[in-house]
């Protein structure tokens, strides 16, 4: 199914602040406006450029792979530690105010790190700025999902919500996959053409313009309501929020664990591909190999909406996790570029459905009034895993060799599979 078909799937929805629409021909695309999806796509690109851009900048500016890995890791740590708090703030104060504030601060910090790396600033200062960059990252992907879930759940009849939600989450996951593939590629192109500072400057400008526009879009006022057709409560209404402790329920934490595993897989795979291409004397081709995994993931993510309803969410995740691990094992044991590419494609076919399914489970299990917080927790988990695996796999490749680095995606795939099994058992109970 094409992206256009995904976006225009017939659904009974209305605009963010209108009353329920009984016109069955109304589509999600009509409800949010034609500019929404392109804008939300571009606005999430700086988020995908962040970790790789920081790594590229620090390695080039300080000539230290160890410091570069530690700095990118601090970005992930900042996002994982503070990102959910940013989501909670948005649940209380509304997305518009939070996005505008974080976009300004984040843009300035990106420029500040660029200056600090090429100055006499200490390594500790560089690490501190990197943490702040991760902490202030505008949470566009989870906030986009939160807006769309709110529209679907407050405007659709219950009988049609699940299918529309699956289609919408398929697109959102595919968009994430595309930017996580395109982001490192854009960083590489800009760095090669204009120098290692160019990606950071571009990310700062893109954050200010695209995230600012996303913040001001009319859908930023959309909030979830507990009943179909009911008027949505104000985003800042604390009286409608569930206790924060509900975010630490094991049915939620198992989703976070799954996303940490997927982030580990992204970081381990990208760094391992850098080691492979570096050994061949063509390190700039790492993004091309990594792209094969993205191709499989995007295709399978878009195909999820065609799965039959009897193929339950927990079964989808478990099946996808097995497929992802199988592809990772092929990568680890590959003896040629052709076999390596096959393994990446197979792994990608498992990643796409896992992303869609975990987000769908997250929308089901989101505590009342905590939707943005939960989506932000999931998005931050990916960045944390990616940063940690990038640093660890890089160190492993330097000290042990490329063969050891190629085994790390299989370890990450094992984490995802364990989380899927745990989710199966929790759903059984």
């Amino acid at each position: 199914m094409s992206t256009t078909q995904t976006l225009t799937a017939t659904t009974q929805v209305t605009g963010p602040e209108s009353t329920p629409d009984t016109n069955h021909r109304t589509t999600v695309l009509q409800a949010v406006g034609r500019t929404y999806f392109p804008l939300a796509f571009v606005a999430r690109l700086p988020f995908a450029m962040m970790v790789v851009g920081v790594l590229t900048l620090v390695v080039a500016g300080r000539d230290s792979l160890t410091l570069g890995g530690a700095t990118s890791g601090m970005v992930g740590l900042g996002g994982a530690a503070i990102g959910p708090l940013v989501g909670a703030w948005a649940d209380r104060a509304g997305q518009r105010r939070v996005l505008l504030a974080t976009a300004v601060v984040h843009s300035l910090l990106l420029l500040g790190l660029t200056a600090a790396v090429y100055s006499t600033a200490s390594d500790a200062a560089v690490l501190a700025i990197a943490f702040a960059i991760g902490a202030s990252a505008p949470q566009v992907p989870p906030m986009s999902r939160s807006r769309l879930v709110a529209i679907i759940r407050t405007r659709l009849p219950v009988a049609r919500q699940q299918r529309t939600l699956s289609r919408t989450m398929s697109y959102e996951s595919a968009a994430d996959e595309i930017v996580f593939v395109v982001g490192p590629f854009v960083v590489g192109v800009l760095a090669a053409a204009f120098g290692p500072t160019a990606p950071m400057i571009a990310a700062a400008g893109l954050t200010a313009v695209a995230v600012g526009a996303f913040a001001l879009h009319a859908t930023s006022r959309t909030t979830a309501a507990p009943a179909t057709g009911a008027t949505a409560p104000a985003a800042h209404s604390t009286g409608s929020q569930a206790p924060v402790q509900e975010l630490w329920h094991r049915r939620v934490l198992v989703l976070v664990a799954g996303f940490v595993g997927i982030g580990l897989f992204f970081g381990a795979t990208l760094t391992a591909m850098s080691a492979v291409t570096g050994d061949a004397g063509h390190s700039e081709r790492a993004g091309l190999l990594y792209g094969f995994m993205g191709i499989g993931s995007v295709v399978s993510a878009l195909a999820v909406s065609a799965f039959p309803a009897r193929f339950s969410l927990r079964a989808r995740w478990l099946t996808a996790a097995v497929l992802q691990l199988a592809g990772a094992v092929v990568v680890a044991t590959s003896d040629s570029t052709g076999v390596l590419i096959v393994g990446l494609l197979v792994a990608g076919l498992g990643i796409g459905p896992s992303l869609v399914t975990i987000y769908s489970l997250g929308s089901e299990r989101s505590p009342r009034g905590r939707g943005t917080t939960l989506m932000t927790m999931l998005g931050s988990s990916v960045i944390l895993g990616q940063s940690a695996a990038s640093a660890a796999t890089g160190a492993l490749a330097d000290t042990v060799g490329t063969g050891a680095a190629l085994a790390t995606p299989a370890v990450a795939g094992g984490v995802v599979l364990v989380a899927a099994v745990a989710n199966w058992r929790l759903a059984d109970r």
Side-chain angles (χ1 to χ4, degrees), residues 369-385:
R370 301 283 183 182
T372 303
T373 306
L374 179 54
M375 292 297 178
T376 306
M377 287 173 63
L378 297 178
S380 299
S381 299
V382 174
I383 294 296
L384 175 63

Side-chain angles (χ1 to χ4, degrees), residues 221-383:
R221 298 189 181 279
T222 303
T223 53
T228 301
T231 302
H236 58 272
S237 174
T238 59
S240 62
Q241 287 187 319
V244 70
Q245 293 93 323
E246 291 191 18
L247 289 169
W248 305 110
H249 193 282
R250 56 188 177 182
R251 286 168 57 84
V252 173
L253 292 179
V254 71
L255 306 181
V256 173
F259 262 33
V260 169
I262 290 176
L264 290 170
F265 196 92
F266 286 154
T269 303
L270 178 59
T271 308
M273 293 307 101
S274 297
V276 170
T277 54
D279 288 348
H282 299 288
S283 58
E284 72 280 0
R285 297 181 182 177
L288 296 178
L289 284 178
Y290 186 73
F292 283 103
M293 185 182 74
I295 291 171
S297 185
V298 169
V299 170
S300 60
L302 290 173
V304 168
S305 61
F307 290 171
R310 63 180 178 275
F311 190 14
S312 67
L313 292 178
R314 66 171 185 165
R316 294 180 190 182
W317 185 10
L318 187 59
T319 303
V322 171
L323 192 60
Q324 179 182 342
L325 181 57
V329 170
V330 173
V331 169
T333 58
S334 62
D335 55 2
S336 68
T337 302
V339 175
L340 182 66
I341 290 173
V342 170
L344 291 170
L345 285 169
V346 172
L349 291 174
I351 292 174
S354 288
L355 284 168
V356 175
T357 302
I358 297 173
Y359 273 125
S360 296
L361 288 169
S363 68
E364 285 185 358
R365 300 176 186 179
S366 174
R368 185 182 66 256
R370 301 283 183 182
T372 303
T373 306
L374 179 54
M375 292 297 178
T376 306
M377 287 173 63
L378 297 178
S380 299
S381 299
V382 174
I383 294 296

Side-chain angles (χ1 to χ4, degrees), residues 7-346:
L7 298 183
T8 58
T10 302
T11 55
Q12 184 178 338
V13 296
T14 62
E17 298 183 300
S18 63
T19 56
D21 191 348
T22 57
N23 184 357
H24 286 228
R25 293 175 298 177
T26 303
T27 65
V28 172
L29 185 60
Q30 291 170 335
V32 299
R34 293 188 177 277
T35 62
Y36 178 80
F37 287 102
L39 180 59
F41 182 86
V42 175
R44 71 183 74 197
L45 187 57
F47 194 81
M49 295 171 61
M50 187 170 56
V51 173
V52 180
V54 167
L55 177 64
T56 302
L57 174 73
V58 175
V59 170
R62 294 291 174 104
D63 193 26
S64 172
L65 183 58
T66 300
L67 179 61
T71 306
S72 63
M74 289 299 287
V75 172
L77 182 61
I82 308 300
L85 300 179
V86 174
W89 181 21
D91 278 332
R92 289 177 174 271
Q95 289 190 14
R96 179 169 295 182
R97 183 184 305 174
V98 174
L99 282 169
L100 289 174
T102 54
V104 172
V105 173
H106 190 70
S107 297
L108 294 175
L109 285 170
L110 289 172
L111 297 176
L113 181 65
T114 303
V117 167
Y118 286 93
S119 72
T120 58
S122 66
D123 291 349
V126 170
L127 292 171
I129 297 173
F131 180 89
I133 285 174
S136 63
Q139 302 292 333
V140 173
M143 290 190 185
S144 176
R145 284 180 172 84
S146 181
R147 295 184 194 187
L148 294 171
V149 168
I151 289 174
I152 292 169
R153 288 196 164 179
T154 58
R155 271 73 174 186
L156 264 67
V158 173
R160 303 184 62 186
Q161 288 181 7
Q162 187 57 50
R163 182 169 179 80
T164 305
L165 182 64
S166 179
R167 289 179 172 179
T168 305
M169 292 301 102
S170 293
Y171 167 76
E172 286 287 295
S173 296
D176 282 345
E177 280 297 295
I178 292 170
V179 297
F180 270 109
V181 172
V182 171
F185 177 76
V186 171
V187 168
V189 170
L190 290 175
F194 305 105
T197 62
M200 302 298 284
I201 296 172
L206 198 58
T207 297
V209 175
V211 175
F214 180 74
L216 297 173
H217 194 274
T219 55
S220 65
R221 298 189 181 279
T222 303
T223 53
T228 301
T231 302
H236 58 272
S237 174
T238 59
S240 62
Q241 287 187 319
V244 70
Q245 293 93 323
E246 291 191 18
L247 289 169
W248 305 110
H249 193 282
R250 56 188 177 182
R251 286 168 57 84
V252 173
L253 292 179
V254 71
L255 306 181
V256 173
F259 262 33
V260 169
I262 290 176
L264 290 170
F265 196 92
F266 286 154
T269 303
L270 178 59
T271 308
M273 293 307 101
S274 297
V276 170
T277 54
D279 288 348
H282 299 288
S283 58
E284 72 280 0
R285 297 181 182 177
L288 296 178
L289 284 178
Y290 186 73
F292 283 103
M293 185 182 74
I295 291 171
S297 185
V298 169
V299 170
S300 60
L302 290 173
V304 168
S305 61
F307 290 171
R310 63 180 178 275
F311 190 14
S312 67
L313 292 178
R314 66 171 185 165
R316 294 180 190 182
W317 185 10
L318 187 59
T319 303
V322 171
L323 192 60
Q324 179 182 342
L325 181 57
V329 170
V330 173
V331 169
T333 58
S334 62
D335 55 2
S336 68
T337 302
V339 175
L340 182 66
I341 290 173
V342 170
L344 291 170
L345 285 169
V346 172

